[in-house]
Amino acid sequence: MSDTNELIQRYLAAWNETDAAARQAVLAEVYAEDAVYTDPLVSVQGRDGLDATIAAIQGQFGGLVFSLGGAVDAHHDIARFTWHLGPEGAEPVAIGFDIAVIGDDGRISRVLGFLDKVPAGV
């Protein structure tokens, strides 16, 4: 379980990384090259697609950070977790729930995301 926890923490760190080169390095570490990310607002394949999605979210919600909203629940090759987006240490403006599928190489091969709380106009 600790390996899965670390993987999800590193995955969220990619969402918080504002330096493009550093973010791409973290994505290469935790996200399979051909992985798929799908949520209600976007569906992309590959690290480049996810990187562009993260950059767009950072542009829209500059200064806010992603954090775990609770414990990571995992079994076999699947992990589920709640995340928060908001000012560090303050009430989140957005809350979501993701399911990550982990490939044989230990990297995330698919993320299915759900949005539980979103700001108006998103």
mmCIF file of all heavy atoms in Angstrom, residues 46-95:
data_model
loop_
_atom_site.group_PDB
_atom_site.id
_atom_site.type_symbol
_atom_site.label_atom_id
_atom_site.label_comp_id
_atom_site.label_asym_id
_atom_site.label_seq_id
_atom_site.Cartn_x
_atom_site.Cartn_y
_atom_site.Cartn_z
ATOM 1 N N GLY A 46 -1.920 9.891 -23.235
ATOM 2 C CA GLY A 46 -0.489 10.154 -23.216
ATOM 3 C C GLY A 46 -0.097 11.270 -22.276
ATOM 4 O O GLY A 46 -0.906 12.076 -21.832
ATOM 5 N N ARG A 47 1.185 11.282 -21.969
ATOM 6 C CA ARG A 47 1.730 12.279 -21.039
ATOM 7 C C ARG A 47 1.591 13.700 -21.567
ATOM 8 O O ARG A 47 1.320 14.618 -20.796
ATOM 9 C CB ARG A 47 3.202 11.980 -20.769
ATOM 10 C CG ARG A 47 3.427 10.716 -20.006
ATOM 11 C CD ARG A 47 4.918 10.533 -19.715
ATOM 12 N NE ARG A 47 5.176 9.138 -19.428
ATOM 13 C CZ ARG A 47 6.169 8.444 -19.930
ATOM 14 N NH1 ARG A 47 7.039 8.998 -20.747
ATOM 15 N NH2 ARG A 47 6.325 7.182 -19.607
ATOM 16 N N ASP A 48 1.787 13.878 -22.875
ATOM 17 C CA ASP A 48 1.677 15.227 -23.434
ATOM 18 C C ASP A 48 0.271 15.778 -23.272
ATOM 19 O O ASP A 48 0.083 16.954 -22.962
ATOM 20 C CB ASP A 48 2.092 15.245 -24.905
ATOM 21 C CG ASP A 48 3.592 15.038 -25.094
ATOM 22 O OD1 ASP A 48 4.365 15.215 -24.120
ATOM 23 O OD2 ASP A 48 3.986 14.687 -26.224
ATOM 24 N N GLY A 49 -0.726 14.922 -23.485
ATOM 25 C CA GLY A 49 -2.107 15.361 -23.309
ATOM 26 C C GLY A 49 -2.407 15.726 -21.870
ATOM 27 O O GLY A 49 -3.068 16.727 -21.594
ATOM 28 N N LEU A 50 -1.928 14.899 -20.933
ATOM 29 C CA LEU A 50 -2.142 15.209 -19.526
ATOM 30 C C LEU A 50 -1.368 16.453 -19.126
ATOM 31 O O LEU A 50 -1.888 17.300 -18.394
ATOM 32 C CB LEU A 50 -1.747 14.026 -18.640
ATOM 33 C CG LEU A 50 -2.010 14.232 -17.145
ATOM 34 C CD1 LEU A 50 -3.480 14.541 -16.865
ATOM 35 C CD2 LEU A 50 -1.558 13.014 -16.362
ATOM 36 N N ASP A 51 -0.160 16.603 -19.624
ATOM 37 C CA ASP A 51 0.632 17.791 -19.323
ATOM 38 C C ASP A 51 -0.097 19.051 -19.783
ATOM 39 O O ASP A 51 -0.169 20.039 -19.043
ATOM 40 C CB ASP A 51 2.006 17.685 -19.993
ATOM 41 C CG ASP A 51 2.886 18.873 -19.672
ATOM 42 O OD1 ASP A 51 3.082 19.171 -18.479
ATOM 43 O OD2 ASP A 51 3.368 19.506 -20.637
ATOM 44 N N ALA A 52 -0.659 19.028 -20.974
ATOM 45 C CA ALA A 52 -1.405 20.191 -21.486
ATOM 46 C C ALA A 52 -2.646 20.457 -20.630
ATOM 47 O O ALA A 52 -2.986 21.621 -20.362
ATOM 48 C CB ALA A 52 -1.791 19.961 -22.947
ATOM 49 N N THR A 53 -3.297 19.391 -20.189
ATOM 50 C CA THR A 53 -4.466 19.543 -19.325
ATOM 51 C C THR A 53 -4.080 20.184 -17.996
ATOM 52 O O THR A 53 -4.743 21.104 -17.520
ATOM 53 C CB THR A 53 -5.133 18.169 -19.090
ATOM 54 O OG1 THR A 53 -5.565 17.658 -20.353
ATOM 55 C CG2 THR A 53 -6.307 18.272 -18.137
ATOM 56 N N ILE A 54 -3.008 19.712 -17.408
ATOM 57 C CA ILE A 54 -2.537 20.274 -16.139
ATOM 58 C C ILE A 54 -2.185 21.746 -16.313
ATOM 59 O O ILE A 54 -2.558 22.587 -15.487
ATOM 60 C CB ILE A 54 -1.341 19.473 -15.587
ATOM 61 C CG1 ILE A 54 -1.794 18.067 -15.174
ATOM 62 C CG2 ILE A 54 -0.682 20.199 -14.410
ATOM 63 C CD1 ILE A 54 -0.660 17.120 -14.831
ATOM 64 N N ALA A 55 -1.473 22.084 -17.375
ATOM 65 C CA ALA A 55 -1.102 23.482 -17.623
ATOM 66 C C ALA A 55 -2.345 24.360 -17.755
ATOM 67 O O ALA A 55 -2.382 25.484 -17.230
ATOM 68 C CB ALA A 55 -0.236 23.585 -18.871
ATOM 69 N N ALA A 56 -3.379 23.862 -18.424
ATOM 70 C CA ALA A 56 -4.618 24.632 -18.583
ATOM 71 C C ALA A 56 -5.320 24.833 -17.237
ATOM 72 O O ALA A 56 -5.803 25.936 -16.941
ATOM 73 C CB ALA A 56 -5.548 23.926 -19.569
ATOM 74 N N ILE A 57 -5.349 23.788 -16.410
ATOM 75 C CA ILE A 57 -5.962 23.900 -15.082
ATOM 76 C C ILE A 57 -5.189 24.892 -14.221
ATOM 77 O O ILE A 57 -5.778 25.719 -13.516
ATOM 78 C CB ILE A 57 -6.027 22.515 -14.392
ATOM 79 C CG1 ILE A 57 -6.964 21.577 -15.148
ATOM 80 C CG2 ILE A 57 -6.433 22.641 -12.927
ATOM 81 C CD1 ILE A 57 -8.406 21.992 -15.183
ATOM 82 N N GLN A 58 -3.865 24.833 -14.298
ATOM 83 C CA GLN A 58 -3.054 25.791 -13.532
ATOM 84 C C GLN A 58 -3.301 27.215 -14.001
ATOM 85 O O GLN A 58 -3.323 28.143 -13.192
ATOM 86 C CB GLN A 58 -1.572 25.437 -13.644
ATOM 87 C CG GLN A 58 -1.215 24.185 -12.888
ATOM 88 C CD GLN A 58 0.241 23.789 -13.059
ATOM 89 O OE1 GLN A 58 0.957 24.317 -13.904
ATOM 90 N NE2 GLN A 58 0.677 22.833 -12.258
ATOM 91 N N GLY A 59 -3.497 27.394 -15.305
ATOM 92 C CA GLY A 59 -3.813 28.727 -15.824
ATOM 93 C C GLY A 59 -5.145 29.236 -15.323
ATOM 94 O O GLY A 59 -5.319 30.434 -15.077
ATOM 95 N N GLN A 60 -6.092 28.341 -15.166
ATOM 96 C CA GLN A 60 -7.428 28.715 -14.708
ATOM 97 C C GLN A 60 -7.485 28.904 -13.195
ATOM 98 O O GLN A 60 -8.224 29.739 -12.702
ATOM 99 C CB GLN A 60 -8.427 27.632 -15.133
ATOM 100 C CG GLN A 60 -9.862 27.962 -14.855
ATOM 101 C CD GLN A 60 -10.813 26.922 -15.419
ATOM 102 O OE1 GLN A 60 -10.410 25.875 -15.914
ATOM 103 N NE2 GLN A 60 -12.099 27.209 -15.353
ATOM 104 N N PHE A 61 -6.700 28.125 -12.464
ATOM 105 C CA PHE A 61 -6.752 28.142 -11.001
ATOM 106 C C PHE A 61 -5.378 28.421 -10.409
ATOM 107 O O PHE A 61 -4.936 27.732 -9.487
ATOM 108 C CB PHE A 61 -7.280 26.799 -10.473
ATOM 109 C CG PHE A 61 -8.693 26.502 -10.878
ATOM 110 C CD1 PHE A 61 -8.951 25.587 -11.895
ATOM 111 C CD2 PHE A 61 -9.759 27.137 -10.274
ATOM 112 C CE1 PHE A 61 -10.250 25.298 -12.281
ATOM 113 C CE2 PHE A 61 -11.063 26.866 -10.655
ATOM 114 C CZ PHE A 61 -11.315 25.943 -11.666
ATOM 115 N N GLY A 62 -4.689 29.418 -10.936
ATOM 116 C CA GLY A 62 -3.353 29.761 -10.481
ATOM 117 C C GLY A 62 -3.288 29.995 -8.982
ATOM 118 O O GLY A 62 -4.182 30.601 -8.395
ATOM 119 N N GLY A 63 -2.248 29.468 -8.352
ATOM 120 C CA GLY A 63 -2.042 29.662 -6.925
ATOM 121 C C GLY A 63 -2.740 28.645 -6.046
ATOM 122 O O GLY A 63 -2.500 28.605 -4.844
ATOM 123 N N LEU A 64 -3.615 27.821 -6.625
ATOM 124 C CA LEU A 64 -4.293 26.795 -5.843
ATOM 125 C C LEU A 64 -3.501 25.496 -5.929
ATOM 126 O O LEU A 64 -2.749 25.283 -6.884
ATOM 127 C CB LEU A 64 -5.717 26.579 -6.366
ATOM 128 C CG LEU A 64 -6.620 27.816 -6.368
ATOM 129 C CD1 LEU A 64 -8.019 27.456 -6.843
ATOM 130 C CD2 LEU A 64 -6.656 28.479 -5.004
ATOM 131 N N VAL A 65 -3.665 24.633 -4.938
ATOM 132 C CA VAL A 65 -2.897 23.392 -4.911
ATOM 133 C C VAL A 65 -3.821 22.188 -4.754
ATOM 134 O O VAL A 65 -4.875 22.268 -4.125
ATOM 135 C CB VAL A 65 -1.840 23.382 -3.780
ATOM 136 C CG1 VAL A 65 -0.779 24.431 -4.011
ATOM 137 C CG2 VAL A 65 -2.488 23.575 -2.419
ATOM 138 N N PHE A 66 -3.393 21.077 -5.350
ATOM 139 C CA PHE A 66 -4.080 19.799 -5.193
ATOM 140 C C PHE A 66 -3.515 19.087 -3.971
ATOM 141 O O PHE A 66 -2.311 19.092 -3.749
ATOM 142 C CB PHE A 66 -3.863 18.915 -6.426
ATOM 143 C CG PHE A 66 -4.671 19.333 -7.613
ATOM 144 C CD1 PHE A 66 -4.157 20.248 -8.522
ATOM 145 C CD2 PHE A 66 -5.938 18.816 -7.826
ATOM 146 C CE1 PHE A 66 -4.904 20.631 -9.626
ATOM 147 C CE2 PHE A 66 -6.687 19.197 -8.926
ATOM 148 C CZ PHE A 66 -6.177 20.105 -9.829
ATOM 149 N N SER A 67 -4.402 18.454 -3.208
ATOM 150 C CA SER A 67 -3.976 17.654 -2.064
ATOM 151 C C SER A 67 -4.923 16.473 -1.916
ATOM 152 O O SER A 67 -6.052 16.509 -2.425
ATOM 153 C CB SER A 67 -3.967 18.495 -0.786
ATOM 154 O OG SER A 67 -5.276 18.983 -0.511
ATOM 155 N N LEU A 68 -4.461 15.449 -1.226
ATOM 156 C CA LEU A 68 -5.327 14.313 -0.947
ATOM 157 C C LEU A 68 -6.426 14.738 0.013
ATOM 158 O O LEU A 68 -6.168 15.455 0.982
ATOM 159 C CB LEU A 68 -4.541 13.168 -0.313
ATOM 160 C CG LEU A 68 -3.838 12.207 -1.256
ATOM 161 C CD1 LEU A 68 -3.032 11.175 -0.469
ATOM 162 C CD2 LEU A 68 -4.813 11.518 -2.189
ATOM 163 N N GLY A 69 -7.637 14.284 -0.262
ATOM 164 C CA GLY A 69 -8.759 14.605 0.603
ATOM 165 C C GLY A 69 -9.032 13.534 1.640
ATOM 166 O O GLY A 69 -9.965 13.649 2.429
ATOM 167 N N GLY A 70 -8.223 12.489 1.649
ATOM 168 C CA GLY A 70 -8.375 11.376 2.578
ATOM 169 C C GLY A 70 -7.387 10.294 2.225
ATOM 170 O O GLY A 70 -6.485 10.502 1.416
ATOM 171 N N ALA A 71 -7.583 9.136 2.785
ATOM 172 C CA ALA A 71 -6.670 8.021 2.543
ATOM 173 C C ALA A 71 -6.862 7.458 1.132
ATOM 174 O O ALA A 71 -7.955 7.504 0.574
ATOM 175 C CB ALA A 71 -6.911 6.922 3.565
ATOM 176 N N VAL A 72 -5.785 6.938 0.573
ATOM 177 C CA VAL A 72 -5.839 6.214 -0.696
ATOM 178 C C VAL A 72 -6.333 4.804 -0.390
ATOM 179 O O VAL A 72 -5.828 4.138 0.509
ATOM 180 C CB VAL A 72 -4.446 6.160 -1.363
ATOM 181 C CG1 VAL A 72 -4.493 5.301 -2.619
ATOM 182 C CG2 VAL A 72 -3.937 7.563 -1.667
ATOM 183 N N ASP A 73 -7.346 4.368 -1.123
ATOM 184 C CA ASP A 73 -7.880 3.019 -0.976
ATOM 185 C C ASP A 73 -7.442 2.235 -2.202
ATOM 186 O O ASP A 73 -7.684 2.670 -3.329
ATOM 187 C CB ASP A 73 -9.406 3.081 -0.885
ATOM 188 C CG ASP A 73 -10.047 1.736 -0.620
ATOM 189 O OD1 ASP A 73 -9.357 0.827 -0.117
ATOM 190 O OD2 ASP A 73 -11.250 1.598 -0.921
ATOM 191 N N ALA A 74 -6.778 1.106 -2.006
ATOM 192 C CA ALA A 74 -6.231 0.370 -3.144
ATOM 193 C C ALA A 74 -6.327 -1.125 -2.933
ATOM 194 O O ALA A 74 -6.292 -1.623 -1.802
ATOM 195 C CB ALA A 74 -4.774 0.761 -3.367
ATOM 196 N N HIS A 75 -6.467 -1.819 -4.045
ATOM 197 C CA HIS A 75 -6.333 -3.275 -4.073
ATOM 198 C C HIS A 75 -5.934 -3.671 -5.489
ATOM 199 O O HIS A 75 -6.191 -2.948 -6.451
ATOM 200 C CB HIS A 75 -7.628 -3.983 -3.637
ATOM 201 C CG HIS A 75 -8.802 -3.732 -4.531
ATOM 202 N ND1 HIS A 75 -9.014 -4.410 -5.710
ATOM 203 C CD2 HIS A 75 -9.812 -2.846 -4.420
ATOM 204 C CE1 HIS A 75 -10.119 -3.975 -6.282
ATOM 205 N NE2 HIS A 75 -10.626 -3.010 -5.526
ATOM 206 N N HIS A 76 -5.267 -4.802 -5.590
ATOM 207 C CA HIS A 76 -4.758 -5.297 -6.865
ATOM 208 C C HIS A 76 -4.031 -4.168 -7.605
ATOM 209 O O HIS A 76 -3.073 -3.623 -7.080
ATOM 210 C CB HIS A 76 -5.879 -5.926 -7.691
ATOM 211 C CG HIS A 76 -6.474 -7.123 -7.034
ATOM 212 N ND1 HIS A 76 -7.518 -7.019 -6.136
ATOM 213 C CD2 HIS A 76 -6.175 -8.432 -7.119
ATOM 214 C CE1 HIS A 76 -7.838 -8.221 -5.697
ATOM 215 N NE2 HIS A 76 -7.024 -9.115 -6.281
ATOM 216 N N ASP A 77 -4.511 -3.789 -8.781
ATOM 217 C CA ASP A 77 -3.859 -2.738 -9.568
ATOM 218 C C ASP A 77 -4.716 -1.486 -9.663
ATOM 219 O O ASP A 77 -4.589 -0.707 -10.597
ATOM 220 C CB ASP A 77 -3.514 -3.261 -10.962
ATOM 221 C CG ASP A 77 -4.758 -3.648 -11.754
ATOM 222 O OD1 ASP A 77 -5.863 -3.718 -11.164
ATOM 223 O OD2 ASP A 77 -4.630 -3.874 -12.971
ATOM 224 N N ILE A 78 -5.595 -1.257 -8.672
ATOM 225 C CA ILE A 78 -6.535 -0.138 -8.716
ATOM 226 C C ILE A 78 -6.423 0.675 -7.429
ATOM 227 O O ILE A 78 -6.335 0.118 -6.336
ATOM 228 C CB ILE A 78 -7.981 -0.648 -8.859
ATOM 229 C CG1 ILE A 78 -8.119 -1.503 -10.122
ATOM 230 C CG2 ILE A 78 -8.976 0.507 -8.886
ATOM 231 C CD1 ILE A 78 -9.403 -2.287 -10.189
ATOM 232 N N ALA A 79 -6.440 1.992 -7.578
ATOM 233 C CA ALA A 79 -6.453 2.887 -6.421
ATOM 234 C C ALA A 79 -7.552 3.923 -6.620
ATOM 235 O O ALA A 79 -7.797 4.379 -7.735
ATOM 236 C CB ALA A 79 -5.107 3.594 -6.269
ATOM 237 N N ARG A 80 -8.213 4.265 -5.530
ATOM 238 C CA ARG A 80 -9.192 5.345 -5.579
ATOM 239 C C ARG A 80 -8.852 6.344 -4.487
ATOM 240 O O ARG A 80 -8.370 5.974 -3.411
ATOM 241 C CB ARG A 80 -10.622 4.833 -5.439
ATOM 242 C CG ARG A 80 -10.939 4.251 -4.093
ATOM 243 C CD ARG A 80 -12.388 3.813 -4.013
ATOM 244 N NE ARG A 80 -12.642 3.233 -2.694
ATOM 245 C CZ ARG A 80 -13.827 3.116 -2.156
ATOM 246 N NH1 ARG A 80 -14.890 3.525 -2.818
ATOM 247 N NH2 ARG A 80 -13.973 2.585 -0.961
ATOM 248 N N PHE A 81 -9.100 7.606 -4.796
ATOM 249 C CA PHE A 81 -8.751 8.650 -3.840
ATOM 250 C C PHE A 81 -9.546 9.914 -4.131
ATOM 251 O O PHE A 81 -9.954 10.168 -5.258
ATOM 252 C CB PHE A 81 -7.248 8.948 -3.874
ATOM 253 C CG PHE A 81 -6.729 9.342 -5.232
ATOM 254 C CD1 PHE A 81 -6.588 10.675 -5.583
ATOM 255 C CD2 PHE A 81 -6.388 8.374 -6.165
ATOM 256 C CE1 PHE A 81 -6.124 11.031 -6.837
ATOM 257 C CE2 PHE A 81 -5.918 8.714 -7.415
ATOM 258 C CZ PHE A 81 -5.781 10.053 -7.754
ATOM 259 N N THR A 82 -9.772 10.674 -3.090
ATOM 260 C CA THR A 82 -10.411 11.979 -3.204
ATOM 261 C C THR A 82 -9.321 13.036 -3.162
ATOM 262 O O THR A 82 -8.362 12.917 -2.402
ATOM 263 C CB THR A 82 -11.398 12.198 -2.039
ATOM 264 O OG1 THR A 82 -12.398 11.183 -2.108
ATOM 265 C CG2 THR A 82 -12.061 13.559 -2.118
ATOM 266 N N TRP A 83 -9.465 14.043 -4.014
ATOM 267 C CA TRP A 83 -8.520 15.148 -4.021
ATOM 268 C C TRP A 83 -9.265 16.462 -3.786
ATOM 269 O O TRP A 83 -10.467 16.558 -4.030
ATOM 270 C CB TRP A 83 -7.725 15.206 -5.324
ATOM 271 C CG TRP A 83 -8.575 15.202 -6.567
ATOM 272 C CD1 TRP A 83 -8.865 14.131 -7.358
ATOM 273 C CD2 TRP A 83 -9.246 16.321 -7.159
ATOM 274 N NE1 TRP A 83 -9.682 14.509 -8.392
ATOM 275 C CE2 TRP A 83 -9.925 15.849 -8.301
ATOM 276 C CE3 TRP A 83 -9.350 17.670 -6.843
ATOM 277 C CZ2 TRP A 83 -10.705 16.675 -9.120
ATOM 278 C CZ3 TRP A 83 -10.117 18.493 -7.653
ATOM 279 C CH2 TRP A 83 -10.780 18.018 -8.773
ATOM 280 N N HIS A 84 -8.525 17.424 -3.264
ATOM 281 C CA HIS A 84 -9.038 18.777 -3.056
ATOM 282 C C HIS A 84 -8.180 19.748 -3.849
ATOM 283 O O HIS A 84 -6.975 19.536 -3.984
ATOM 284 C CB HIS A 84 -8.958 19.167 -1.576
ATOM 285 C CG HIS A 84 -9.895 18.389 -0.706
ATOM 286 N ND1 HIS A 84 -9.843 18.459 0.655
ATOM 287 C CD2 HIS A 84 -10.912 17.520 -0.990
ATOM 288 C CE1 HIS A 84 -10.772 17.684 1.186
ATOM 289 N NE2 HIS A 84 -11.426 17.095 0.196
ATOM 290 N N LEU A 85 -8.795 20.798 -4.337
ATOM 291 C CA LEU A 85 -8.081 21.898 -4.987
ATOM 292 C C LEU A 85 -8.491 23.177 -4.289
ATOM 293 O O LEU A 85 -9.684 23.505 -4.228
ATOM 294 C CB LEU A 85 -8.423 21.974 -6.479
ATOM 295 C CG LEU A 85 -7.843 23.173 -7.237
ATOM 296 C CD1 LEU A 85 -6.315 23.112 -7.267
ATOM 297 C CD2 LEU A 85 -8.414 23.247 -8.647
ATOM 298 N N GLY A 86 -7.500 23.876 -3.760
ATOM 299 C CA GLY A 86 -7.806 25.133 -3.073
ATOM 300 C C GLY A 86 -6.546 25.797 -2.587
ATOM 301 O O GLY A 86 -5.437 25.305 -2.804
ATOM 302 N N PRO A 87 -6.720 26.939 -1.907
ATOM 303 C CA PRO A 87 -5.559 27.587 -1.295
ATOM 304 C C PRO A 87 -4.975 26.656 -0.237
ATOM 305 O O PRO A 87 -5.721 25.956 0.461
ATOM 306 C CB PRO A 87 -6.139 28.850 -0.640
ATOM 307 C CG PRO A 87 -7.482 29.047 -1.275
ATOM 308 C CD PRO A 87 -7.959 27.686 -1.687
ATOM 309 N N GLU A 88 -3.667 26.618 -0.141
ATOM 310 C CA GLU A 88 -3.018 25.716 0.815
ATOM 311 C C GLU A 88 -3.535 25.980 2.224
ATOM 312 O O GLU A 88 -3.536 27.113 2.697
ATOM 313 C CB GLU A 88 -1.502 25.886 0.763
ATOM 314 C CG GLU A 88 -0.778 24.761 1.437
ATOM 315 C CD GLU A 88 0.668 24.653 1.009
ATOM 316 O OE1 GLU A 88 1.091 25.373 0.099
ATOM 317 O OE2 GLU A 88 1.368 23.819 1.601
ATOM 318 N N GLY A 89 -4.028 24.917 2.876
ATOM 319 C CA GLY A 89 -4.506 25.015 4.242
ATOM 320 C C GLY A 89 -5.887 25.621 4.400
ATOM 321 O O GLY A 89 -6.334 25.847 5.523
ATOM 322 N N ALA A 90 -6.586 25.882 3.301
ATOM 323 C CA ALA A 90 -7.904 26.513 3.375
ATOM 324 C C ALA A 90 -8.953 25.601 2.734
ATOM 325 O O ALA A 90 -8.640 24.548 2.179
ATOM 326 C CB ALA A 90 -7.880 27.870 2.669
ATOM 327 N N GLU A 91 -10.190 26.025 2.819
ATOM 328 C CA GLU A 91 -11.310 25.271 2.248
ATOM 329 C C GLU A 91 -11.120 25.088 0.744
ATOM 330 O O GLU A 91 -10.798 26.029 0.026
ATOM 331 C CB GLU A 91 -12.614 26.054 2.510
ATOM 332 C CG GLU A 91 -13.869 25.328 2.124
ATOM 333 C CD GLU A 91 -14.191 24.154 3.043
ATOM 334 O OE1 GLU A 91 -13.742 24.143 4.194
ATOM 335 O OE2 GLU A 91 -14.903 23.245 2.575
ATOM 336 N N PRO A 92 -11.296 23.860 0.222
ATOM 337 C CA PRO A 92 -11.124 23.638 -1.220
ATOM 338 C C PRO A 92 -12.247 24.291 -2.033
ATOM 339 O O PRO A 92 -13.393 24.340 -1.586
ATOM 340 C CB PRO A 92 -11.167 22.116 -1.356
ATOM 341 C CG PRO A 92 -11.855 21.618 -0.145
ATOM 342 C CD PRO A 92 -11.611 22.621 0.939
ATOM 343 N N VAL A 93 -11.891 24.762 -3.206
ATOM 344 C CA VAL A 93 -12.890 25.304 -4.132
ATOM 345 C C VAL A 93 -13.408 24.218 -5.062
ATOM 346 O O VAL A 93 -14.460 24.358 -5.672
ATOM 347 C CB VAL A 93 -12.338 26.497 -4.953
ATOM 348 C CG1 VAL A 93 -11.937 27.641 -4.036
ATOM 349 C CG2 VAL A 93 -11.177 26.077 -5.826
ATOM 350 N N ALA A 94 -12.647 23.128 -5.188
ATOM 351 C CA ALA A 94 -13.058 21.996 -5.999
ATOM 352 C C ALA A 94 -12.671 20.702 -5.274
ATOM 353 O O ALA A 94 -11.654 20.654 -4.585
ATOM 354 C CB ALA A 94 -12.395 22.034 -7.372
ATOM 355 N N ILE A 95 -13.520 19.684 -5.454
ATOM 356 C CA ILE A 95 -13.268 18.372 -4.874
ATOM 357 C C ILE A 95 -13.579 17.337 -5.943
ATOM 358 O O ILE A 95 -14.591 17.450 -6.649
ATOM 359 C CB ILE A 95 -14.152 18.117 -3.631
ATOM 360 C CG1 ILE A 95 -13.835 19.139 -2.531
ATOM 361 C CG2 ILE A 95 -13.957 16.688 -3.108
ATOM 362 C CD1 ILE A 95 -14.776 19.073 -1.339
#
